[in-house]
Amino acid sequence: MVPIREKRKFVRVTPLAEEPVEVHLMGTSLLDVLIAQDISLGGVGILAPHHFDEWDMNETVEILVALPGDLADFLARGVIKQIGKKSTETGIYGVQFTEIGPKGKQDLQVFVNRMVRKGREVK
């Protein structure tokens, strides 16, 4: 029997509601502070308000990710992708990371590992 291969390159986790991951997106036309729905070393999923339509899909944005607890905030760059359903009020979007510094990667990996140990891995 052929093993089923995981599509995702990186382990994706859902942050705890009581310890959210804030995502500050800075682009050419808007600044938004949103809460991560899920996150991995490859990117972050966010539930964004309807006005997020003003952002250009595939636009490169600056991102500040505020990790909870003892982990440092980090800066990254990424590209906006729409990945989920859209309603009249909100939409599910992904930001694919294109650049993260070594310290940011290290702290994000620590966070992901912690969430995996708590059973928060997205299957």
Side-chain angles (χ1 to χ4, degrees), residues 9-13 39-43 65 67 70-72 74 97 100-117 121:
K9 186 175 177 182
F10 301 103
V11 174
R12 185 166 289 274
V13 296
I39 192 165
S40 74
L41 285 175
V65 178
L67 296 171
D70 60 338
L71 300 171
F74 66 89
F97 296 138
I100 304 177
K103 176 71 170 122
K105 266 189 190 167
Q106 178 183 341
D107 282 353
L108 182 52
Q109 185 64 64
V110 168
F111 177 77
V112 168
N113 291 344
R114 286 178 183 173
M115 292 300 101
V116 167
R117 284 194 301 276
E121 183 175 349

Side-chain angles (χ1 to χ4, degrees), residues 48-62:
H50 183 62
H51 73 267
F52 204 71
D53 285 342
E54 296 168 25
W55 288 78
D56 292 330
M57 290 300 103
N58 301 310
E59 176 182 357
T60 298
V61 293
E62 298 287 329

